[in-house]
Amino acid sequence: MSAAPAAGLIGIYGHGAVHLRELERLSVAGRARVVACADVRAPAGEQAEALGRLGCRYFADWREMLRPAPAGAGPLDMVVIASPPHLHTDMAVAAMEAGAHVLLEKPPVVTLGDFEQLLGAMARTGAACQVGFQSTGSGALGRVRQVLAKAELGDLVSFGVTGRWQRDRAYWTRAGWAGRAVLGGAQVRDGALSNPFAHASMNCLVAAGVAEPGSQLAGVEVERYRANPIEVEDTGCVRVSLASGRAFVVAVTLCAEVVERPVLRIRGAGGQAGWPYEGDTVSIESGQRSWTETFARRSLAAELLDLIDGRSSTLSCPLEHCATFVQLIEAVHAAPVCEVPGRWVGSAGAGVAERPVLAGIDAAVDAAVRQCRLFSELGVPWAVAAPGEVGKPEK
Ligand SMILES: NC(=O)c1ccc[n+]([C@@H]2O[C@H](COP(=O)([O-])OP(=O)(O)OC[C@H]3O[C@@H](n4cnc5c(N)ncnc54)[C@H](O)[C@@H]3O)[C@@H](O)[C@H]2O)c1
């Protein structure tokens, strides 16, 4: 019997810890040999214990990890990349050139130029690249897509994602790249729309059937706001117009009054559906009936291993399916970031747990998606289409 594919991981803390657990699960199942990992921060605690169990070699420099053995760990069959987004392209290209297939965290790239560079590396090396939009592995997304495609709830009234999270000072100060547009001359493009809620837009694009190669968006309108002292948006909305004449709105905030998990919502003339996309259950109301449907979720890492083993050639989120997502990200970052005047911003928590609370944001997020409108079109007082036009506070 041939040995299981050799896997390496770049980034073992932060979201990388989730990948380390999944790789250990796959190792125990005999699906992968987790032979190497790289991080600028040395393994400690749970990470050190997991690496010990796996017999996994640690590298402080990810380039060393990709070097052919004995100097490095290579050859690796699969490299999982969970580093900050602005490092993705160099790491992924190098991993492909070292002969590995890649599981690349979202957002896969931060610019269109990087996207083209990665596609070029794939064509040159024959490598596959799966992108870490994990909800694309959920059967719930296929169901939502079916609801839209077949107009199961009657004529479409609106669809999109609402997202209401709270993030405190500790979040924005956890890493040098957090909240940055540019860092050391490199485009970082963090921000609620392009990073924590990237899944929201990607899920809508897939649900609308416009994530396949060759798809184009007819238009992207963007509003970006910030209540935190950061370079990007902590609150924003985007309306995406499709060639079909349909449109969707993603409206999100990290300064919520009350937290609510992100939900992909569909409203039709005859009912509505909702998918909290971190899970796998879709709720549907049609006429007088309401019910839920629960689906399985495929592991993105296991899918890539299946492809390497020749068991399957299907990936839930191949990089080629991210062209319209990258188009959307380019539009987001071309829009100005408007600072919300302090009179609309409350505060909760203290010290590193302190966080801004944006007045009226919860209702605005919900209304934007329900009405397919941008915040400024809803008459939200702090919302303006361009900087410097913020409305006056009500007395
Ligand atoms: N799929 C999801 O739901 C999800 C959730 C959270 C984060 N993410 C994504 O995961 C990626 C990492 O995000 P994060 O919040 O964990 O970031 P982070 O900065 O907290 O952690 C990234 C890890 O990479 C390491 N690292 C940084 N620079 C490195 C370098 N030059 N070489 C090797 N390792 C390096 C860090 O030490 C850390 O262990 C991002 O792309 C992010 O968008 C995805």
Side-chain angles (χ1 to χ4, degrees):
M1 219 174 93
S2 61
L9 170 65
I10 305 179
I12 58 175
Y13 295 99
H15 193 63
V18 175
H19 286 289
L20 187 54
R21 284 196 290 277
E22 176 62 359
L23 286 173
E24 186 166 14
R25 185 187 74 82
L26 292 163
S27 163
V28 169
R31 297 296 325 282
R33 290 176 294 125
V34 187
V35 298
C37 70
D39 200 300
V40 285
R41 206 174 129 199
E46 281 176 29
Q47 273 69 10
E49 287 167 24
L51 300 191
R53 286 191 297 275
L54 289 162
C56 176
R57 188 169 164 200
Y58 162 75
F59 294 84
D61 180 345
W62 61 270
R63 290 183 193 276
E64 291 296 327
M65 181 184 100
L66 296 177
R67 256 187 248 291
L76 297 168
D77 300 298
M78 172 169 99
V79 173
V80 180
I81 300 175
S83 60
H86 60 290
L87 304 178
H88 286 181
T89 303
D90 282 354
M91 291 174 171
V93 169
M96 289 173 189
E97 283 174 346
H101 299 280
V102 171
L103 169 52
L104 181 59
E105 255 314 323
K106 50 62 40 181
V109 293
V110 290
T111 68
L112 184 57
D114 286 349
F115 183 61
E116 282 164 0
Q117 204 186 325
L118 259 190
L119 290 178
M122 290 171 70
R124 218 167 45 243
T125 61
C129 181
Q130 167 100 297
V131 178
F133 283 113
Q134 66 267 25
S135 45
T136 59
S138 175
L141 180 51
R143 179 68 179 110
V144 159
R145 185 172 175 165
Q146 183 186 41
V147 168
L148 280 169
K150 296 191 173 166
E152 283 186 29
L153 302 172
D155 287 345
L156 186 66
V157 176
S158 65
F159 101 93
V161 169
T162 54
R164 299 175 359 201
W165 279 341
Q166 296 169 341
R167 291 292 180 268
D168 58 17
R169 185 174 297 156
Y171 174 84
W172 296 112
T173 56
R174 77 189 190 286
W177 61 277
R180 303 299 298 264
V182 178
L183 184 63
Q187 293 290 323
V188 172
R189 296 184 166 183
D190 193 19
L193 287 163
S194 49
N195 196 10
F197 288 112
H199 302 280
S201 297
M202 188 62 188
N203 287 333
C204 287
L205 294 167
V206 176
V210 293
E212 276 82 7
S215 301
Q216 283 281 329
L217 304 179
V220 184
E221 298 157 274
V222 184
E223 292 185 9
R224 304 168 78 200
Y225 302 95
R226 65 173 182 85
N228 284 278
I230 54 174
E231 295 176 352
V232 292
E233 80 287 352
D234 49 43
T235 298
C237 54
V238 53
R239 180 168 50 211
V240 177
S241 305
L242 308 174
S244 63
R246 287 178 165 182
F248 67 81
V249 163
V250 170
V252 296
T253 185
L254 299 172
C255 311
E257 296 160 306
V258 177
V259 171
E260 191 196 58
R261 58 201 174 156
V263 182
L264 192 154
R265 301 174 188 278
I266 301 171
R267 284 204 314 136
Q272 54 188 351
W275 172 39
Y277 63 67
E278 294 164 306
D280 304 299
T281 298
V282 180
S283 306
I284 303 180
E285 284 174 43
S286 179
Q288 300 303 309
R289 290 181 58 227
S290 64
W291 70 95
T292 60
E293 298 177 16
T294 299
F295 298 85
R297 180 174 290 225
R298 296 175 297 278
S299 153
L300 299 187
E303 278 188 348
L304 191 55
L305 289 168
D306 282 346
L307 182 137
I308 292 167
D309 280 341
R311 296 184 203 199
S312 158
S313 58
T314 306
L315 296 179
S316 287
C317 196
L319 182 72
E320 304 88 302
H321 285 200
C322 294
T324 47
F325 173 78
V326 175
Q327 191 188 337
L328 192 153
I329 291 305
E330 285 285 349
V332 165
H333 287 276
V337 181
C338 306
E339 181 181 356
V340 177
R343 60 185 177 272
W344 302 108
V345 184
S347 167
V352 292
E354 188 178 350
R355 60 180 168 81
V357 180
L358 199 43
I361 186 59
D362 293 2
V365 161
D366 295 351
V369 173
R370 199 170 53 249
Q371 298 175 30
C372 202
R373 291 193 185 171
L374 302 173
F375 293 147
S376 65
E377 298 167 349
L378 292 168
V380 176
W382 46 258
V384 293
E389 300 169 12
V390 174
K392 297 205 163 30
E394 287 157 26
K395 289 271 183 261

